[in-house]
Amino acid sequence: MFAQFGATAESLSKASSLVLRIGTDAHLYDDPDDVSIGPLLDSRYDSEKVDALKRLLALIAQGADVSHFFPQVVKNVASQSLEVKKLVYLYLLHYAEKRQNEALLSINCFQKDLSDTNPLVRAWALRAMAGIRLHAVAPLVLAAISKCARDPSAYVRKGAAYALPKLYDLHHDEDSTALEELVDILLSDHSPGVVGAAAAAFKSVCPTSLYLIAKSFRRLCETLPDIEEWGQIVLIEILLRYVIARHGLVKESIMFSSNSASHSQADENFATSGDMLDHHHHHHSVVDMACDSNMVTVMYKSYIEGQKESFTQAGCAKGDDDKLDLPPLTSSTNDDVDILLRCTSPLLWSHNSAVVLAAAGVHWIIAPRKEMERIIKPILFILRSSQASKYVILCNILVFAKADPSLFSLNYEDFFVFSSDSYQIKVLKLEILSTIATKSSLPIILEEFQDYVKDPDRRFAADTVAAIGLCAQRLPMVASTCLEGLLGLIFHESSISSSSQLDGEAGVLVQAIMSIKAIIKHDPTSYDKVIVRLACNLDRVKEPAARALIIWIIGEYCSVGQIIPRILPSVLKYLAWTFNSEELETKLQTLNTAAKVLLCTEGEDLLTFRKILSYVIELAKYDSNYDIRDRARFILKLVPRNLTTTSEEETTSCFLQNVGIHHEFAENIFSGKIHSTASSAKSFRIYLPGSLSQIVLHAAPGYEPLPKPCSLHANDLKLRMELGDETKESKKMAKNNSFGTGDHDASSGSSFEESGSVYDSHHSIISSDSEGNEITSESNEIGHSSLEVMHDDWDKTLIDVSDAGVDNDQASQSAKGNLSALVSTDLAELMSKSALESWLDEQPGLTSVQMSQQPPSGRISINNLDCTVTPKIHMLLDPTNGNGLRVEYAFSYEVSTISPVMVQIEVFFENCLSESLVKIALKDEEYNSRVDSSYPVLEEHESLLPTDNAPSMLPSEEIASLDPGQRLKKVIQVRFHHHLLPFKVAVLCNGKKYLTKLWPDIGYFLRPLSMSMDAFIEKERQLPGMFECTKRCTFKEHIDHEKDDSSFHSDKIILISRTIASKVLSNSNVFLVSVDIPVSFNIDDASGLCLRFSGEILSSSKPCLIAILAEGKFSEPLDMAVKINCEDTVFGLNLLNRVAAFLQ
């Protein structure tokens, strides 16, 4: 019957668990492999895809490797289902770094999702892109963040703020200015959710750029209550740092009121504090509170200079040497200080204890001393209501109490110990109670301590005894009462320890004697009877450490009063009689005490003490412990010699003979002054309130002290506050100067040609006929044998000059160009102004009527250049690794006739040995490792890979033999899987195989696209916004060419144009469209030179336009602005980095 009942109960339990799991996905963790996941991923139904993706995520959560499903998951990234898309994004984030090649396939789809009408999709796409930690996509992530930072949806803008730290972690030193500008934009947002995320981004990306806070400080303060809790913590810290860096510390705050004014009557109740509460719990020491200003001074130095620097300063008790050098101070009536205090006051009653501590920290540092009481009740409230954060709160209260004991003196009952408290919390409460105790509250506190001494946890009881001693030191008027209690405790513990061995009782006994020792040290003459009582009960104390402490006290104060010297002979005789039976520490103290007494005694007892010391030294010389033997020899050398002398005359003569260096050493060692062992305020580690460092008592990673007061100069603030004035001045300069002569940040805007040429917008340039500014396709096709471009018509005129007025259409284009040049750099590097106007419904700042008033100008179009093109040679196989075979390769300018997606490469084989090499060939090693033809990819319009059936590599025929020193050229055609990923090949020679890689050059994934300048401008107008990207670099190569080429010394502009064109054509397969020069050229000014190149991508036949704008002087490095317009944004961004790299 009972067995049946048990079975029924088990069945009911299983049934109830199944009922609770109904409607959840918990079953996926039980049987994730019960169905085939692969077919479900390829299903046409979204519900089946969702089920498969959930099972994959369940396997990932259980630690399984499901990366082999990556290709099938990636192709679902274009799904229209939000649930499928979200699950795919989660999967991609997990495996993107492991499967980099396939992860790149999804970038185009992410880019497409950034323009989705659903803000959730846009935010998910940005989150996924930022989570793919690949350097190749970092520029694209920056572009996406720039776009989303201006998104109409606050949720997307918040996602952009959270993506900034991820991008910064990937690229610490790159694009720091752009990231800082984006942080500035997000901090200016009016959505509280965005501001909280922007504060976190500010702390990660640019924590020292406090000038960004200036223009939005008051709005940020007013937004504080509406921000989510964890964002409030970060923003409070940022605002506090800004106030201190901008205005300095407040003179009415606790750090300066205690130094400038005398202490109140209430503060006089607080004297000094001494030793640690517990020698085991050494990291929470009680601070010497001789005066509040000592602690406050150290606190100020720790907050501003850091803990490490503050330790190097002079001690607080060294008079004028440690006076606080007052920094620049401000008043609490300062507008910024006042609004920060007012806006953080409501946060003192937040439900989040971390927010309360952050707000309390602001008031602690900059609030006036008289207003400090407002933080007491909120802190005590969270102390009572939040068990999880109790330890953290107590650590911060301890610092507050040490700097100002009167702050919590009336609330001492809140720090009474509960039986449920942990040991660490109990110790903190004891230390706080001993710090805030006053004359009126001490009797109640001592009564509470009496119960703590009886606690079963004897370690806590020992800490309580230490706290009693501290209270006696702080309030000397109750020291006698405390001493009586401690003596009674000693005698009680001695009787217990002698009768039975209880764990922890010895610790209580030792701590009681240590407390008595600390109390006696302050006034030994008043407590001589206490020393006598300890000496009389020495035989009752059996604990070796306790006996050693009592013996030390007897020897240290052997000459105090009149009673102690009388009992010394009896005590020393007793110690000599029990010497052999004592423990190590007791024997050592017996030797020291005997020597101290001998050095301090004069008269008739001197002979007695010499005999006792001589007897003890003789016993110690033959002790089994070498420490005892060494101490005996040490004392024998320092104290007066002839210890065996029996007559008083001989003793006196011997004593006089040894009044020398040894006796002086002995006096200093054994009878010298005792330095105070009380912990000073300097030894207490202080960190900012609410920080992790204040809990662990060392500088945690990421901890920074407060900025130097008034370190934020007004000039730094004007940099952000006067952007409007700079924009107006730039508009005026644009009427008289060429593009790029204004502010550097403005010139690096999103577009220097919005609807036409830069020089159309700034010089009203009109184009000549297409025949005059176009280089023929024959002249642009580079021959590989000569590697030079020589134009046939060298004798004809090199330049054509045309001049005309400006019509209204061109003026309108010029207005747009000027506007894009003057746009603020918050999105300038990555988005065009027209895109922002269409997004934000902004109107252009200039009209065609205004632009039509500009004076007419002209354009010089160079239609013939003599450029030397030298393709770069890459090493494929080094002769040291190839057994004497050197293999090099260079990309060809010829387009493959077999497939448009294949790149033609010239491979050079050279024999570096003295013997022939045979059977040399280049094989496709990628074929064996890559996925077969059934490898699933994205749809054609979304894939980065070519979709035709072209083979991966068309190798050349095998070289039968290669003679010594011979060099042969072969041509191969390779179909790279991506323009950034290498292609694996194997070099065969003499029957051996050498594995290596062909690294692609993105410049040769183009073919020249012949077009006129008008067609170039029209095509450029069709690719604005996200299809346009710019970057700046420095060009120096023309300086060396100018020195070498004297024939064109007078035509420096021709030299520079030829050098830049040669550099571009040597590193990419493009067509030179035009070289434009403004007529208003200064003799030594290259500003305004513009070169245009055009090409189309091999795999997609999409046009790619390159425009290079020069700025600067001939004799100096030129500042080059490179702009690329391309429909394939990933390709365009990577090509932009490549062009900027080889120009640099």
Side-chain angles (χ1 to χ4, degrees):
M1 176 179 179
F2 293 103
Q4 182 179 1
F5 178 77
T8 304
E10 183 178 359
S11 302
L12 289 174
S13 177
K14 291 182 178 180
S16 62
S17 62
L18 289 175
V19 170
L20 293 175
R21 294 157 67 93
I22 293 177
T24 67
D25 295 326
H27 65 281
L28 298 176
Y29 291 89
D30 298 333
D31 51 355
D33 291 324
D34 60 344
V35 294
S36 180
I37 295 178
L40 291 178
L41 291 173
D42 297 329
S43 174
R44 57 189 296 184
Y45 301 106
D46 290 337
S47 59
E48 295 183 353
K49 293 180 180 180
V50 169
D51 187 61
L53 290 169
K54 287 183 177 180
R55 295 179 186 278
L56 285 178
L57 294 177
L59 287 170
I60 292 175
Q62 294 176 2
D65 184 9
V66 291
S67 59
H68 56 280
F69 289 104
F70 199 96
Q72 293 173 277
V73 176
V74 167
K75 71 178 184 179
N76 289 308
V77 74
S79 174
Q80 298 300 318
S81 172
L82 293 182
E83 191 170 8
V84 172
K85 192 181 293 289
K86 179 174 65 175
L87 295 174
V88 171
Y89 284 169
L90 293 175
Y91 180 92
L92 289 178
L93 287 175
H94 188 77
Y95 284 114
E97 192 168 1
K98 184 176 182 181
R99 303 292 293 268
Q100 298 184 12
N101 298 359
E102 294 86 348
L104 292 174
L105 301 178
S106 59
I107 298 300
N108 271 357
C109 190
F110 292 151
Q111 193 74 9
K112 179 180 177 181
D113 287 344
L114 288 175
S115 301
D116 195 277
T117 57
N118 191 333
L120 289 177
V121 176
R122 299 199 298 271
W124 292 345
L126 179 62
R127 177 191 174 196
M129 289 182 64
I132 298 177
R133 299 182 58 81
L134 302 179
H135 290 273
V137 301
L140 186 58
V141 175
L142 179 59
I145 296 175
S146 301
K147 177 180 179 180
C148 293
R150 290 290 187 90
D151 194 277
S153 172
Y155 183 75
V156 179
R157 300 197 301 272
K158 182 178 179 180
Y162 283 130
L164 279 173
K166 299 178 183 178
L167 181 61
Y168 179 76
D169 290 339
L170 190 61
H171 281 235
H172 281 282
D173 301 326
E174 300 180 15
D175 301 319
S176 57
T177 303
L179 295 179
E180 187 173 309
E181 292 291 340
L182 291 175
V183 172
D184 189 16
I185 294 173
L186 294 168
L187 283 174
S188 303
D189 202 281
H190 293 281
S191 173
V194 178
V195 173
F202 177 91
K203 189 174 181 180
S204 300
V205 176
C206 49
T208 58
S209 302
L210 294 173
Y211 56 85
L212 297 177
I213 309 297
K215 63 180 181 180
S216 305
F217 175 78
R218 297 185 67 86
R219 184 181 54 79
L220 292 174
C221 291
E222 294 169 355
T223 312
L224 258 178
D226 301 325
I227 299 175
E228 55 94 16
E229 293 176 343
W230 299 112
Q232 288 174 344
I233 300 170
V234 179
L235 187 56
I236 287 174
E237 179 187 354
I238 295 173
L239 295 176
L240 174 63
R241 291 177 179 274
Y242 167 77
V243 168
I244 294 177
R246 179 68 182 93
H247 304 289
L249 293 168
V250 179
K251 60 184 178 181
E252 296 92 349
S253 66
I254 187 173
M255 283 186 280
F256 301 102
S257 61
S258 296
N259 289 279
S260 58
S262 60
H263 298 292
S264 63
Q265 184 64 29
D267 293 336
E268 293 178 359
N269 292 330
F270 305 98
T272 60
S273 59
D275 296 329
M276 302 177 182
L277 270 179
D278 180 17
H279 58 281
H280 302 291
H281 195 62
H282 60 275
H283 63 282
H284 286 295
S285 60
V286 175
V287 182
D288 187 358
M289 297 293 294
C291 64
D292 289 344
S293 60
N294 291 346
M295 179 66 181
V296 171
T297 300
V298 175
M299 182 176 64
Y300 161 76
K301 292 182 178 180
S302 299
Y303 285 169
I304 302 297
E305 301 173 1
Q307 188 68 34
K308 183 176 181 180
E309 288 79 1
S310 66
F311 276 163
T312 62
Q313 303 297 328
C316 289
K318 292 184 180 180
D320 296 337
D321 294 340
D322 195 55
K323 284 186 177 180
L324 182 62
D325 296 330
L326 293 180
L329 301 179
T330 186
S331 173
S332 59
T333 58
N334 181 282
D335 292 340
D336 289 347
V337 175
D338 180 65
I339 192 174
L340 180 58
L341 291 175
R342 283 192 289 106
C343 293
T344 53
S345 293
L347 301 182
L348 290 171
W349 295 102
S350 172
H351 294 290
N352 191 316
S353 56
V355 177
V356 176
L357 277 180
V362 172
H363 286 73
W364 176 255
I365 294 175
I366 64 174
R369 172 67 181 81
K370 60 183 180 180
E371 299 180 7
M372 197 64 63
E373 287 77 9
R374 69 173 63 175
I375 72 173
I376 298 175
K377 291 184 178 180
I379 291 180
L380 294 179
F381 177 78
I382 60 175
L383 178 64
R384 293 190 295 264
S385 60
S386 178
Q387 294 294 327
S389 57
K390 183 176 291 187
Y391 180 81
V392 177
I393 297 168
L394 286 172
C395 287
N396 287 273
I397 291 177
L398 180 61
V399 178
F400 298 158
K402 288 182 181 298
D404 188 359
S406 63
L407 196 62
F408 293 93
S409 60
L410 299 178
N411 306 95
Y412 60 90
E413 292 183 352
D414 290 281
F415 303 104
F416 285 171
V417 174
F418 296 99
S419 59
S420 59
D421 291 338
S422 64
Y423 170 73
Q424 290 78 12
I425 291 178
K426 290 179 179 179
V427 171
L428 282 174
K429 286 186 174 182
L430 283 177
E431 193 166 1
I432 293 172
L433 285 172
S434 62
T435 303
I436 66 176
T438 62
K439 183 178 180 181
S440 58
S441 63
L442 186 60
I444 302 175
I445 293 176
L446 289 178
E447 185 178 353
E448 187 76 11
F449 283 172
Q450 292 177 8
D451 293 334
Y452 299 164
V453 172
K454 303 173 185 178
D455 194 276
D457 185 358
R458 304 313 292 167
R459 183 173 56 162
F460 172 60
D463 294 333
T464 304
V465 172
I468 294 174
L470 293 176
C471 292
Q473 297 173 65
R474 286 175 47 79
L475 302 173
M477 68 284 298
V478 296
S480 301
T481 304
C482 294
L483 281 174
E484 287 296 329
L486 292 174
L487 287 172
L489 182 64
I490 290 175
F491 302 146
H492 175 70
E493 294 294 332
S494 300
S495 61
I496 294 178
S497 60
S498 61
S499 59
S500 61
Q501 295 294 329
L502 297 179
D503 294 337
E505 295 299 338
V508 176
L509 176 62
V510 171
Q511 187 60 63
I513 299 176
M514 289 179 63
S515 298
I516 292 176
K517 184 190 77 170
I519 297 173
I520 293 174
K521 178 182 61 179
H522 292 282
D523 190 8
T525 57
S526 301
Y527 304 119
D528 56 342
K529 294 182 180 179
V530 176
I531 300 175
V532 172
R533 291 181 63 181
L534 288 175
C536 294
N537 291 275
L538 185 60
D539 58 335
R540 297 175 56 184
V541 179
K542 304 301 181 183
E543 175 62 31
R547 290 175 62 85
L549 280 171
I550 295 176
I551 295 172
W552 181 90
I553 293 173
I554 295 172
E556 188 64 30
Y557 305 108
C558 59
S559 60
V560 174
Q562 298 180 357
I563 304 177
I564 297 177
R566 296 178 184 177
I567 66 171
L568 281 178
S570 302
V571 173
L572 288 181
K573 290 178 182 178
Y574 167 76
L575 294 176
W577 177 61
T578 61
F579 185 84
N580 286 332
S581 61
E582 299 287 356
E583 297 294 333
L584 171 63
E585 54 265 47
T586 308
K587 290 181 178 179
L588 291 175
Q589 290 302 327
T590 300
L591 286 168
N592 293 342
T593 298
K596 289 179 182 180
V597 171
L598 179 62
L599 293 172
C600 298
T601 303
E602 296 179 359
E604 56 185 11
D605 293 332
L606 181 62
L607 181 61
T608 303
F609 294 144
R610 291 184 65 84
K611 290 181 178 180
I612 295 175
L613 179 59
S614 177
Y615 175 75
V616 172
I617 288 178
E618 286 298 322
L619 295 177
K621 287 169 60 176
Y622 302 100
D623 196 271
S624 59
N625 190 285
Y626 61 87
D627 286 335
I628 303 298
R629 299 195 298 270
D630 290 344
R631 182 66 58 86
R633 296 188 185 96
F634 175 75
I635 294 175
L636 187 62
K637 294 295 184 181
L638 287 179
V639 299
R641 298 177 182 177
N642 298 327
L643 294 176
T644 57
T645 305
T646 56
S647 65
E648 184 174 353
E649 294 78 3
E650 292 178 350
T651 300
T652 304
S653 62
C654 176
F655 182 79
L656 294 175
Q657 291 175 2
N658 286 277
V659 178
I661 188 64
H662 291 82
H663 184 72
E664 184 177 354
F665 283 162
E667 288 283 349
N668 292 331
I669 292 174
F670 293 108
S671 301
K673 290 185 177 181
I674 303 175
H675 298 285
S676 175
T677 58
S679 300
S680 66
K682 306 183 68 58
S683 64
F684 188 73
R685 296 180 179 269
I686 302 176
Y687 298 90
L688 292 176
S691 63
L692 175 63
S693 301
Q694 186 58 56
I695 309 305
V696 298
L697 292 179
H698 66 79
Y703 174 83
E704 289 293 336
L706 293 175
K708 300 294 182 182
C710 296
S711 59
L712 188 60
H713 302 291
N715 294 333
D716 297 331
L717 301 178
K718 291 180 181 179
L719 181 66
R720 294 292 172 185
M721 300 295 287
E722 299 179 355
L723 285 178
D725 296 338
E726 293 178 359
T727 303
K728 294 179 182 179
E729 294 178 1
S730 299
K731 290 180 180 179
K732 295 179 181 178
M733 294 175 63
K735 297 181 179 179
N736 301 319
N737 300 331
S738 61
F739 177 85
T741 58
D743 182 68
H744 175 80
D745 293 336
S747 65
S748 62
S750 64
S751 172
F752 55 76
E753 289 183 82
E754 188 59 39
S755 60
S757 167
V758 173
Y759 317 102
D760 288 337
S761 62
H762 289 274
H763 299 282
S764 303
I765 300 173
I766 60 173
S767 62
S768 63
D769 58 293
S770 60
E771 295 179 357
N773 61 21
E774 203 175 286
I775 298 178
T776 61
S777 59
E778 289 82 7
S779 65
N780 194 50
E781 293 177 357
I782 310 301
H784 298 284
S785 58
S786 63
L787 297 181
E788 291 186 355
V789 177
M790 298 297 294
H791 296 287
D792 298 331
D793 301 329
W794 177 253
D795 297 333
K796 69 180 181 180
T797 305
L798 288 176
I799 58 177
D800 294 331
V801 181
S802 60
D803 196 359
V806 183
D807 57 15
N808 290 337
D809 293 337
Q810 290 169 333
S812 178
Q813 295 175 4
S814 178
K816 294 180 180 179
N818 270 338
L819 184 60
S820 65
L822 297 174
V823 70
S824 177
T825 56
D826 43 27
L827 281 184
E829 294 187 4
L830 297 160
M831 293 187 65
S832 68
K833 182 62 179 177
S834 62
L836 295 181
E837 290 172 356
S838 62
W839 196 351
L840 302 176
D841 295 329
E842 296 179 0
Q843 298 297 328
L846 297 177
T847 64
S848 60
V849 177
Q850 292 173 319
M851 292 303 302
S852 63
Q853 298 176 358
Q854 294 184 1
S857 182
R859 184 196 73 242
I860 300 178
S861 291
I862 299 179
N863 56 15
N864 208 346
L865 277 181
D866 180 14
C867 301
T868 301
V869 179
T870 307
K872 185 178 181 180
I873 304 297
H874 306 271
M875 180 66 68
L876 183 63
L877 183 64
D878 190 86
T880 57
N881 299 325
N883 197 19
L885 176 64
R886 175 187 284 118
V887 184
E888 299 172 333
Y889 68 96
F891 288 91
S892 174
Y893 292 91
E894 297 182 3
V895 179
S896 173
T897 57
I898 298 177
S899 173
V901 299
M902 303 194 76
V903 179
Q904 192 161 301
I905 301 176
E906 297 177 351
V907 184
F908 303 92
F909 299 89
E910 182 179 358
N911 186 357
C912 299
L913 297 179
S914 57
E915 56 185 17
S916 299
L917 299 175
V918 297
K919 296 181 179 181
I920 303 173
L922 200 63
K923 298 297 182 182
D924 178 12
E925 185 64 21
E926 191 82 9
Y927 178 79
N928 297 328
S929 59
R930 67 186 175 91
V931 184
D932 57 13
S933 59
S934 62
Y935 188 97
V937 296
L938 295 180
E939 288 78 359
E940 183 175 357
H941 68 282
E942 294 173 350
S943 176
L944 295 179
L945 299 181
T947 57
D948 60 2
N949 295 323
S952 296
M953 176 178 173
L954 290 180
S956 62
E957 60 184 9
E958 181 181 270
I959 302 175
S961 177
L962 190 64
D963 296 333
Q966 185 180 2
R967 182 181 177 90
L968 291 180
K969 182 183 74 172
K970 295 292 182 180
V971 178
I972 64 173
Q973 298 184 40
V974 178
R975 175 188 175 216
F976 288 91
H977 296 298
H978 192 268
H979 54 259
L980 296 179
L981 302 178
F983 185 84
K984 298 178 182 179
V985 296
V987 180
L988 305 179
C989 179
N990 289 344
K992 296 182 179 180
K993 182 168 69 172
Y994 305 96
L995 300 180
T996 184
K997 294 180 181 179
L998 284 168
W999 287 93
D1001 191 335
I1002 191 174
Y1004 294 92
F1005 283 73
L1006 298 166
R1007 55 173 169 264
L1009 179 60
S1010 177
M1011 63 171 59
S1012 65
M1013 190 176 70
D1014 292 337
F1016 185 98
I1017 295 173
E1018 179 63 26
K1019 196 66 179 177
E1020 190 178 42
R1021 186 184 296 111
Q1022 299 172 5
L1023 298 172
M1026 291 302 297
F1027 304 121
E1028 179 181 291
C1029 51
T1030 61
K1031 191 170 185 178
R1032 287 191 171 272
C1033 62
T1034 304
F1035 186 71
K1036 304 178 181 178
E1037 191 168 338
H1038 67 286
I1039 300 178
D1040 297 332
H1041 286 196
E1042 183 181 357
K1043 297 178 181 178
D1044 299 338
D1045 196 346
S1046 59
S1047 61
F1048 286 93
H1049 182 72
S1050 59
D1051 296 327
K1052 295 181 180 179
I1053 186 62
I1054 303 297
L1055 173 63
I1056 294 177
S1057 302
R1058 186 193 306 116
T1059 304
I1060 297 174
S1062 176
K1063 196 71 175 178
V1064 175
L1065 296 175
S1066 297
N1067 290 274
S1068 59
N1069 192 13
V1070 293
F1071 175 75
L1072 176 60
V1073 177
S1074 67
V1075 180
D1076 290 351
I1077 308 170
V1079 172
S1080 58
F1081 227 81
N1082 294 329
I1083 191 170
D1084 192 36
D1085 190 7
S1087 298
L1089 175 64
C1090 180
L1091 290 85
R1092 298 182 180 88
F1093 304 87
S1094 62
E1096 61 181 7
I1097 303 175
L1098 293 177
S1099 60
S1100 60
S1101 298
K1102 295 178 181 178
C1104 186
L1105 309 180
I1106 306 174
I1108 301 176
L1109 176 67
E1111 186 179 325
K1113 296 183 178 180
F1114 291 118
S1115 58
E1116 299 175 356
L1118 296 178
D1119 185 14
M1120 310 292 289
V1122 184
K1123 184 186 71 170
I1124 291 182
N1125 294 76
C1126 183
E1127 187 176 350
D1128 191 336
T1129 55
V1130 178
F1131 186 92
L1133 284 169
N1134 290 324
L1135 178 62
L1136 175 67
N1137 292 331
R1138 173 62 179 150
V1139 173
F1142 64 67
L1143 286 177
Q1144 188 82 22

